[in-house]
């Protein structure tokens, strides 16, 4: 099949075939990282702007490396998230960048829907690199790539996502992707961090770490940020770790070949113990590795270069 | 200048105040309705308006609008706001006090009244603030404002948070027999919320405003109303539970009324997803769930809801052309309400035409104690003439309002205003 979308705004609107296409394409880009000269000419002469309104180390470097390995000309633009503070509106910022004729814009923004606003106004292809608590499609795609490499498939797997469900864009994109691909998804976390109606996205809900781990093939731990949510949600980090922190002894409940994932950045001793993070079941660094290949695939497909020769 | 004597001939007259629905001619003299009869010959020097095929009803009253004057005339002014009212078929509006400065004293009230009379497109009835500066601490000079023309009090835009202040306002307003209009919202429960909390906010990752944010305030206020014997009106009621509480209060015989907006009757939180985070779907209270919407429709039919009001809230296009989370709350309503209601409530079979006129005219006039809402002989000739067949496409570029923030752009509807008469004068725009 061929890619038809101008933008990648979320997983919610993608078909299983489109997801499969990205994952297969990513697979073919993996070997570039193993070459002595890690570069292909695929996007030579194309311009990509990385527009980051929120601090990000992992995602931005991953996109940058992906762009460089594809020989695209890339440029970084960082700004504060709030239109009110900044004095210039998002649309004005974007129109200025558009005037420099980029082919693609990768945007990370603190507010849901910001990439959609750009997509409506700009001819450039827009890649959502995280919009508030809404979606983070390339994260879900790289998670899927990681799961597929370990399990050979996604269909039929039991995947548990544990932590601050309410404020996580990763969990939303992952529920969409994993359920579309036939996995059984459970989300677990404190009552005070569980958004209402999350079941409607297709996930089962649990409020117990042990229950969520029962028979799991994949366990994804999410970062918890008390500084952002305030103490009305969880009284302390210490108490959170006792309720939902993943420690080695918990994994006995999971499937024996379970893999443990984390989108990062990780808080050791808060949602995950170092023993687990560095342990034999952890695939956390592989996720980062797969991130580059998945983002190369997304950049390639959205650039329209698929129709041309590679 | 239009003539002051008119015969409106051949129209279907719908007037719930007199239980009237039939074909009558109307004679208007000296600013008042002077005759309604099956067939009237026009006296000499009298102009004739041919209303064949049209509906004639008591002038529509929008009891909840924001005209932004004084202070934010770049969004709307009394002139453009009242032009928008006339274009939408309204002969009277009540404008909220959250201007800059706040309408919390006689001088501001008097300014609004004088400005509106200068243009004459529609009657503009000021609503005074409950508290000085809408700060929620001390009572504003309610009596002074009433003498200058205020018809109710409200801190709308903000809730009256302090229960003691609310209790005292309900008691004090009894002197003037006016309602205290509450924007029912618990700001702690709203928090950083920007849309209704539920499945859709969860899916979109937008912070939610729970229905309970409205309900806890309505519950508290109803208790205070019962004890104070005051008159209480819930502005833009949006949840099933608040509606139930109002229903029970009415059954007890309390002086409680409520209004709903067309957008809460026709749209839901799902609209935000369908319109891909458009800031034209952002308002307070937020678009609620489908079950809330269904409950509101039932409340229209069973009489629990007393009025449809638009909460016309103009914002400059630049303010709305931002991320959903950064946009101000509020949408326009004056120029879309009648067509939306005729098409989606009457044509769809939910309401009779009589009930709609009650909700858009007689009901709100009664709540605010206006002389409007009736075409009885001797009443001011505030008249709306509309065509329930005319095909309308909502086109914001042709709005009389200064602003453009509507989620109904492009809607194809059947029914719309033809002309209004205010005090016997035909309004021309």
């Amino acid at each position: 099949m061929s890619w038809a979308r101008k933008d990648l705004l979320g997983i919610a609107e993608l078909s299983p075939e489109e997801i499969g296409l990205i994952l297969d394409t990513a697979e073919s880009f993996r070997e570039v990282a193993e070459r002595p000269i890690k570069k292909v000419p695929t996007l030579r002469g194309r311009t990509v702007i990385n527009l980051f309104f929120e601090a990000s180390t992992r995602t931005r470097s991953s996109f940058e490396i992906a762009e460089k390995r594809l020989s695209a000309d890339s440029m970084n633009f960082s700004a504060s998230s709030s239109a009110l503070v900044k004095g210039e509106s998002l649309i004005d910022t974007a129109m200025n960048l558009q005037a420099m004729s980029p082919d693609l814009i990768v945007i990370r923004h603190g507010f849901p829907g910001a990439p959609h606003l750009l997509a409506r106004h700009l001819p450039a292809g827009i890649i959502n690199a995280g919009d508030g608590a809404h979606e983070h499609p390339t994260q879900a795609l790289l998670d899927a790539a990681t799961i597929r490499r370990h399990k050979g498939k996604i269909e039929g797997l039991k995947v548990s996502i544990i932590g601050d469900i309410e404020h996580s864009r990763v969990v939303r994109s992952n529920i969409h992707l994993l359920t579309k691909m036939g996995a059984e998804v459970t989300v677990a976390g404190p009552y005070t961090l569980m958004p209402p109606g999350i079941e409607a996205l297709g996930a089962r809900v649990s409020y117990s770490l042990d229950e969520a781990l029962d028979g799991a093939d994949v366990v994804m731990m999410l970062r918890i940020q008390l500084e952002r949510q305030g103490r009305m949600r969880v009284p302390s980090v210490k108490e959170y770790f006792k309720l939902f922190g993943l420690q080695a002894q918990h994994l006995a409940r999971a499937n024996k070949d379970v893999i443990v994932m984390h989108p990062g950045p990780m808080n050791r001793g808060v949602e995950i113990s170092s023993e687990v993070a560095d342990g034999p079941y952890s695939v956390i660094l592989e996720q980062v590795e797969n991130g580059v290949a998945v983002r190369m695939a997304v950049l390639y497909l959205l650039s329209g270069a698929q129709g041309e020769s590679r | 200048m239009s003539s002051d004597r008119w015969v409106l001939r051949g129209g279907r007259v719908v007037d719930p105040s007199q239980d009237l629905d039939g074909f009558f001619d109307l004679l208007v003299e000296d600013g008042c309705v002077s005759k309604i009869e099956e067939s009237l010959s026009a006296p000499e020097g009298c102009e004739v308006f041919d209303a064949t095929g049209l509906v004639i009803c008591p002038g529509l009253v929008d009891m909840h609008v924001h005209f932004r004057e004084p202070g934010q005339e770049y969004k709307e002014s009394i002139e453009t706001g009242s032009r928008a009212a006339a274009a939408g078929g309204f002969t009277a509006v009540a404008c909220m006090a959250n201007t800059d400065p706040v309408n919390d004293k006689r001088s501001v009230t008097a300014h609004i009244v004088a400005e509106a009379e200068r243009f004459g497109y529609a009657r503009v009835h000021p609503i005074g603030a409950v508290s000085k500066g809408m700060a929620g601490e001390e009572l504003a000079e309610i009596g002074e404002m009433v003498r200058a023309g205020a018809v109710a009090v409200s801190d709308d835009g903000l809730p009256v948070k302090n229960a003691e202040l609310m209790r005292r306002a309900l008691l004090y307003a009894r002197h003037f027999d006016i309602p205290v209009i509450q924007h029912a919202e618990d700001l702690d429960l709203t928090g950083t919320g920007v849309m209704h909390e539920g499945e859709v906010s969860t899916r979109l990752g937008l912070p939610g405003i729970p229905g309970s944010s409205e309900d806890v305030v309505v519950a508290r206020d109803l208790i205070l109303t019962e004890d104070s014997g005051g008159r209480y009106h819930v502005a833009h009621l949006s949840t099933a539970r608040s509606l139930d509480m109002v229903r029970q209060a009415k059954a007890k015989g309390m002086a409680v009324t409520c209004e709903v907006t067309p957008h809460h009757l026709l749209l839901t939180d799902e609209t935000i997803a369908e319109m891909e985070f458009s800031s034209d779907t952002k308002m307070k209270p937020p678009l609620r769930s489908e079950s809330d919407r269904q409950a509101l429709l039932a409340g229209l039919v069973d009489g629990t809801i007393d009025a449809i009001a638009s909460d016309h809230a103009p914002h400059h296009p630049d303010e709305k052309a931002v991320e959903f989370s950064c946009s101000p709350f509020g949408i326009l309503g004056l120029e879309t309400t009648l067509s939306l209601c005729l098409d989606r409530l009457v044509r769809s079979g939910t309401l009779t035409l009589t009930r709609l006129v009650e909700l858009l005219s007689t009901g709100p006039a009664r709540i605010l104690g206006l002389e409007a809402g009736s075409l009885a002989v001797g009443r001011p000739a505030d008249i709306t003439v509309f065509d329930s067949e005319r095909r309308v496409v909502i086109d914001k570029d042709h709005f009389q309002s200064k602003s453009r923030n509507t989620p109904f752009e492009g809607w194809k509807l059947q029914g719309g205003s033809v002309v209004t008469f205010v005090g016997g004068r035909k309004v021309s725009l």
Side-chain angles (χ1 to χ4, degrees):
Chain A
M1 79 175 282
S2 65
W3 185 262
R5 292 176 191 272
K6 166 182 165 284
D7 314 296
L8 177 66
L9 301 177
I11 300 293
E13 54 271 20
L14 299 186
S15 67
E17 291 71 28
E18 287 173 300
I19 293 165
L21 175 63
I22 298 172
L23 295 178
D24 293 344
T25 309
E27 201 57 44
S28 71
F29 276 120
R30 273 182 68 87
E31 57 89 20
V32 176
E34 287 148 24
R35 298 183 190 181
I37 296 174
K38 302 179 179 58
K39 210 174 182 70
V40 290
T42 317
L43 293 191
R44 196 166 52 200
R46 312 263 181 159
T47 307
V48 182
I49 295 177
N50 301 312
L51 183 54
F52 277 64
F53 290 90
E54 244 188 12
S56 156
T57 313
R58 195 174 331 262
T59 304
R60 198 175 78 176
S61 353
S62 179
F63 267 108
E64 254 188 274
I65 289 173
E67 289 150 12
K68 290 186 161 58
R69 288 193 179 158
L70 289 169
S71 304
D73 297 314
S74 67
M75 178 253 177
N76 293 321
F77 185 102
S78 303
S80 146
S81 223
S82 165
L84 303 168
V85 173
K86 206 164 31 118
E88 183 177 58
S89 77
L90 175 62
I91 291 178
D92 281 336
T93 304
M95 297 294 252
N96 276 280
L97 295 173
Q98 181 65 45
M100 303 177 209
S101 309
D103 298 283
L104 295 170
I105 295 177
V106 177
I107 177 175
R108 156 72 60 94
H109 199 288
F111 294 129
H116 305 68
L117 191 63
L118 291 199
R120 273 204 295 277
H121 283 83
L122 305 186
I126 307 296
I127 298 171
N128 180 0
D131 61 330
H134 180 221
E135 283 234 37
H136 191 354
T138 56
Q139 178 70 43
L141 287 160
L142 73 88
D143 290 340
T146 308
I147 294 171
R148 235 172 50 157
R149 285 188 70 78
H150 278 271
K151 305 288 183 186
K153 57 167 190 178
I154 292 172
E155 194 176 355
L157 294 180
K158 291 177 81 169
V159 182
S160 291
I161 311 176
I162 297 158
D164 176 358
I165 305 301
E166 179 169 341
H167 298 92
S168 173
R169 51 189 166 223
V170 174
V171 79
R172 288 167 174 81
S173 289
N174 261 305
I175 294 174
H176 290 308
L177 190 150
L178 294 167
T179 55
K180 280 174 202 275
M181 303 306 272
E184 197 182 297
V185 181
T186 298
V187 294
Y191 280 99
T192 43
L193 290 171
M194 192 63 74
I198 187 95
E199 303 87 345
L201 296 188
R204 198 172 69 88
V205 179
S206 167
Y207 299 96
S208 143
L209 177 64
D210 282 344
E211 186 185 273
L213 290 174
D214 262 336
D217 299 298
V218 177
V219 176
M220 268 184 216
M221 300 307 292
L222 300 174
R223 173 177 164 79
I224 163 152
Q225 294 161 284
L226 289 185
E227 71 279 13
R228 192 186 285 183
Q229 290 109 42
R231 306 283 168 182
M232 280 203 196
R233 303 301 186 94
V234 173
S236 71
V237 159
K238 190 176 73 182
E239 194 160 317
Y240 181 81
F241 186 64
K242 287 193 178 141
L243 271 177
F244 284 97
L246 184 64
Q247 301 173 63
Q249 70 267 23
H250 294 133
L251 287 174
R253 289 180 164 267
N255 235 332
K256 62 180 190 314
D257 56 353
V258 66
I259 57 172
V260 175
M261 306 172 73
H262 195 302
M266 205 161 43
N267 295 316
R268 291 170 183 264
V270 179
E271 69 267 1
I272 190 166
S273 71
S274 285
E275 207 185 347
V276 175
D278 305 329
Y281 303 108
S282 169
V283 298
I284 294 171
L285 294 176
E286 282 177 54
Q287 290 175 266
V288 180
E289 185 189 340
N290 290 327
V292 176
V294 158
R295 289 171 178 128
M296 287 172 80
V298 167
L299 290 160
Y300 163 69
L301 291 171
L302 262 70
S303 73
Q306 190 193 16
E308 304 155 20
S309 66
R310 249 176 79 188
Chain B
M1 192 66 195
S2 298
S3 157
D4 279 352
R5 296 178 83 198
W6 283 93
V7 167
L8 283 71
R9 185 172 279 163
R12 172 180 168 194
V13 176
V14 176
D15 180 1
S17 79
Q18 309 177 71
D19 211 5
L20 212 62
D21 182 354
F23 290 87
F24 298 96
D25 293 350
L26 247 78
L27 178 64
V28 171
E29 287 178 306
D30 302 325
C32 293
V33 178
S34 69
K35 280 182 189 171
I36 301 189
E37 284 170 22
E38 281 189 8
S39 183
L40 278 170
S41 55
E44 200 162 323
C46 181
E47 286 200 61
V48 175
F49 183 90
D50 182 5
T52 308
L54 306 177
V55 177
I56 296 170
C57 70
L60 306 185
V61 179
D62 190 337
M63 67 174 295
H64 189 149
V65 303
H66 298 268
F67 278 179
R68 308 301 189 202
E69 183 179 345
Q72 293 181 310
E73 291 84 353
Y74 68 97
K75 299 183 187 214
E76 193 80 285
S77 65
I78 291 167
E79 181 182 4
T80 58
S82 54
R83 284 180 71 94
F90 289 86
T91 58
V93 300
C95 59
M96 286 297 175
N98 61 340
T99 47
D100 181 17
V102 167
N103 179 19
D104 62 354
K105 55 178 78 65
R106 185 187 179 109
S107 57
V108 182
T109 311
H111 165 80
I112 294 167
V113 171
E115 272 297 282
E117 279 175 2
R118 194 156 73 84
F119 300 112
Y121 297 116
R123 296 183 199 270
V124 178
H125 301 285
I127 292 172
V130 171
S131 64
K132 291 196 178 91
M134 285 177 52
E137 286 162 11
E138 300 167 36
L139 281 182
E141 290 176 321
I142 294 172
E144 289 288 293
M145 291 190 287
V146 168
R147 263 202 272 177
V151 293
V153 284
S154 180
D155 277 356
D156 182 66
L158 293 173
V160 175
K161 181 179 178 182
N162 183 313
E164 169 63 359
L165 178 70
M166 189 51 159
R167 186 163 79 104
R168 296 300 171 189
L170 285 162
L171 284 166
Y172 194 69
R174 289 185 63 178
H175 284 293
F176 316 102
D177 193 25
I178 57 169
V180 177
I181 301 177
Q182 175 72 301
H183 166 126
E185 178 183 16
D186 182 309
L187 294 174
D188 292 318
L189 287 173
T190 292
T192 58
V194 293
M195 70 171 288
H196 176 61
E197 181 183 275
E199 278 176 29
V200 184
S201 67
T202 290
R203 190 167 85 227
L204 298 182
L206 287 169
I209 302 174
S212 58
S213 170
E214 177 168 316
D215 303 335
V216 297
V217 175
V218 170
R220 178 201 76 174
D221 288 350
L222 289 173
I223 292 168
L224 299 174
T225 302
E226 186 167 27
D227 285 358
S228 66
R231 288 178 57 195
Y232 178 68
H233 177 82
V234 187
H236 44 50
L237 184 144
S238 70
T239 71
R241 192 156 50 183
S242 286
L243 185 72
D244 267 341
M245 290 188 280
V246 167
R247 191 177 279 126
Q248 287 165 30
K250 287 185 164 199
K252 279 189 188 174
M254 287 160 59
V256 172
T257 52
C258 68
E259 75 196 24
V260 295
T261 71
H263 45 276
H264 289 110
L265 292 167
L266 300 176
L267 307 175
T268 64
D269 52 357
E270 197 64 62
T271 310
I272 300 166
E274 284 160 11
M275 292 184 66
E276 294 196 320
F277 300 91
S278 163
S279 62
D280 289 335
T281 58
K282 182 180 177 185
M283 72 292 287
K284 272 188 180 176
L287 296 173
R288 298 289 186 187
S289 68
E290 175 62 13
S291 61
D292 287 312
R293 190 180 82 88
Q294 290 298 336
L296 297 187
L297 290 172
L300 285 184
V301 175
D302 73 17
T304 306
I305 294 164
D306 301 276
I308 293 175
S310 77
D311 193 6
H312 181 82
H315 290 295
H316 193 275
D318 289 346
E319 296 171 308
K320 279 292 204 179
V322 294
E323 301 87 323
F324 189 90
S325 300
C326 300
S327 144
F329 293 92
I331 61 165
L332 300 177
L334 280 168
E335 294 175 77
T336 50
T337 293
L338 179 60
S339 293
L340 288 168
C341 291
L342 285 171
D343 190 82
R344 299 301 163 102
L345 299 177
V346 176
R347 180 163 297 279
S348 69
T350 306
L351 298 182
T352 63
L353 205 49
T354 300
R355 177 70 180 134
L356 180 66
V357 172
E358 193 169 56
L359 287 159
L360 284 173
S361 176
T362 313
R366 192 182 301 128
I367 294 166
L368 298 176
L370 309 179
E371 275 196 290
S374 172
L375 295 176
V377 170
R379 297 293 279 267
D382 292 359
I383 301 167
T384 297
V385 181
F386 64 85
D387 180 348
S388 50
E389 305 299 320
R390 184 159 69 89
R391 293 190 186 269
V392 170
V393 180
I394 304 292
D395 176 3
K396 60 187 176 185
D397 291 332
H398 287 92
F399 282 174
Q400 297 290 334
S401 168
K402 276 188 191 174
S403 292
R404 297 288 176 263
N405 45 318
T406 176
F408 298 111
E409 174 71 2
W411 280 40
K412 293 182 175 66
L413 303 166
Q414 213 171 330
S417 173
V418 174
V419 71
T420 58
F421 292 81
V422 174
R425 272 189 321 101
K426 184 160 166 269
V427 174
S428 49
L429 291 172

